[in-house]
Amino acid sequence: MLYQQIAQNKRKTIFLILAFFFLLTAIGAAAGYLLVESYQFGIVLALILGSIYAFSMIFQSANVVMGMNKAREITVDQAPDFFHIVEDMAMVAQIPMPKVYIIDDPSLNAFATGSSPENAAVAATSGLLQVMNREELEGVIGHEISHIRNYDISISTIAVALASAITLIASMGSRMMWYGGG
């Protein structure tokens, strides 16, 4: 059952990328027609910009998400209990050790990100680390590690990245129309 879920998540990721490029092509065609009366120009420009953006987001997503949350990567010396919990959960799940981050925030939150287990990251807020005991924290981190193992992070990370690319292209088109007098 687990392997079927992983395979299904990988198929969903591929479908999501194909749907993204279809939508991006349509937006590019519309923007190209409105701005320079050329569908082809809009499609080519949208696909080039979308491909560059999607490629960079897919392979740098963990760094981008952690940067947006002002997370700092930690080592075993900085937070040994938290680091070892992540290490233990990764070992049990039989995935590579994800990068470990702490976000200085009093709220209670934890999440995993990345496009695959090989480039995944796990973060927890300082509030969560202060409130929870080891057993509770193991449960939370085990849940986040399961997202990595099942490739759930791949779907959500790519969805966010691709939606951002579409927003970027649409925003560029609307600004060009506004400032171009269209």
Side-chain angles (χ1 to χ4, degrees):
M1 171 122 167
L2 176 65
Y3 296 110
Q4 292 169 344
Q5 182 182 8
I6 291 171
Q8 182 181 14
N9 285 343
K10 288 180 179 181
R11 282 191 303 274
K12 285 180 182 177
T13 302
I14 291 169
F15 174 76
L16 188 63
I17 290 172
L18 292 175
F20 161 73
F21 279 105
F22 176 76
L23 184 59
L24 191 64
T25 301
I27 291 171
Y33 180 74
L34 290 172
L35 298 174
V36 293
E37 297 181 9
S38 171
Y39 291 109
Q40 297 85 3
F41 176 77
I43 290 171
V44 170
L45 183 63
L47 289 177
I48 290 171
L49 290 175
S51 297
I52 292 169
Y53 185 79
F55 182 80
S56 65
M57 280 301 293
I58 288 168
F59 293 105
Q60 296 296 320
S61 60
N63 295 335
V64 171
V65 170
M66 293 306 173
M68 288 170 44
N69 287 290
K70 297 181 180 87
R72 60 182 167 81
E73 187 173 0
I74 62 159
T75 62
V76 68
D77 299 330
Q78 295 166 314
D81 290 339
F82 178 47
F83 193 90
H84 287 303
I85 289 171
V86 174
E87 188 176 47
D88 292 347
M89 295 296 118
M91 190 181 332
V92 169
Q94 298 176 347
I95 62 167
M97 173 68 178
K99 292 181 180 179
V100 183
Y101 290 84
I102 293 179
I103 301 168
D104 292 320
D105 189 331
S107 64
L108 306 178
N109 196 15
F111 62 89
T113 187
S115 58
S116 70
E118 289 74 29
N119 65 6
V122 174
T125 59
S126 55
L128 184 80
L129 297 175
Q130 290 171 357
V131 170
M132 293 196 160
N133 63 35
R134 182 176 178 89
E135 194 172 275
E136 294 167 331
L137 195 55
E138 284 176 347
V140 170
I141 298 305
H143 171 84
E144 299 308 329
I145 293 291
S146 73
H147 286 306
I148 296 171
R149 171 132 166 91
N150 296 335
Y151 283 79
D152 298 338
I153 59 168
S154 174
I155 294 171
S156 59
T157 299
I158 290 173
V160 168
L162 302 182
S164 299
I166 289 172
T167 303
L168 175 72
I169 299 293
S171 177
M172 286 174 56
S174 67
R175 289 175 198 272
M176 289 171 74
M177 282 179 50
W178 176 261
Y179 293 115

